[in-house]
Amino acid sequence: AATAALTAFYPIDALKLGQQASTDVPTSLVHRIGALRRLLEPASLQAYGWKVLLTVSASFIYFATYAWLKRVVSTVRGKRREVGVLQNMAVACLAGGLNVLCTLPLEGIATRAVVRSTAPGPPSDAADSTRADDGGDGSSDAGGDDDGESGDGAPEGESAGAAASAWELWRGLTPALLL
């Protein structure tokens, strides 16, 4: 059900994220049509794949953890008993917290992929191939005139800052746990 809802609302969510992440949001009809067209490009379809992976993973982790914790809480000295409302809420909070801890990096990757694939810009193909795809992490689009690699053989944006950017995926952990 979660994947069906994601599929139904992905285009709207992707456009919203692209506009929220941009400081210069073009509002002309030409730019909006270009944004809709970009939803069918490989980068956007890849971003959709990340969102599906996130949705399936989060649902599995939450419900599996919830069921296991509820079974543990309901079993006292080998006897099954009814789980109270407060215990049920505590189990749900613990399952949600573990879900956030496990899926927050994937959520960051998925969100960045969606934002990059729907960034506002001119709808022409020539503009898309020369547009910088900078999501604030120092990486850039391979459409430039270099070979797309840094000096150490790693793809551009994945060499020296790889460890730092890995920690960036945990940004927002506290608010995510509070939600």
Side-chain angles (χ1 to χ4, degrees):
T3 304
L6 171 71
T7 301
F9 293 106
Y10 176 75
I12 297 168
D13 187 45
L15 293 174
K16 176 195 72 153
L17 278 173
Q19 288 183 355
Q20 286 177 335
S22 176
T23 55
D24 180 34
V25 180
T27 57
S28 72
L29 183 60
V30 172
H31 284 95
R32 289 183 184 182
I33 291 171
L36 287 172
R37 198 178 316 139
R38 278 192 295 276
L39 288 175
L40 298 174
E41 292 178 357
S44 185
L45 296 176
Q46 182 182 18
Y48 170 75
W50 281 111
K51 292 291 275 189
V52 169
L53 181 62
L54 171 64
T55 300
V56 170
S57 300
S59 295
F60 174 78
I61 290 169
Y62 176 79
F63 288 114
T65 305
Y66 177 81
W68 179 76
L69 285 172
K70 192 170 179 182
R71 196 174 329 116
V72 168
V73 168
S74 69
T75 306
V76 177
R77 295 185 187 124
K79 293 183 179 180
R80 301 283 255 171
R81 63 179 177 87
E82 188 76 22
V83 176
V85 173
L86 291 177
Q87 290 173 323
N88 206 10
M89 288 175 53
V91 164
C93 285
L94 288 172
L98 182 63
N99 179 29
V100 167
L101 289 173
C102 293
T103 60
L104 189 65
L106 185 55
E107 185 177 353
I109 292 168
T111 301
R112 288 177 186 189
V114 170
V115 168
R116 286 185 181 139
S117 69
T118 59
S124 71
D125 292 338
D128 283 344
S129 65
T130 58
R131 179 175 41 123
D133 201 30
D134 189 357
D137 64 353
S139 64
S140 64
D141 188 19
D145 46 15
D146 65 347
D147 62 356
E149 293 187 354
S150 59
D152 60 0
E156 200 170 346
E158 293 182 15
S159 55
S165 63
W167 285 109
E168 288 177 12
L169 294 175
W170 292 96
R171 221 185 287 175
L173 178 62
T174 304
L177 285 172
L178 292 174
L179 288 174

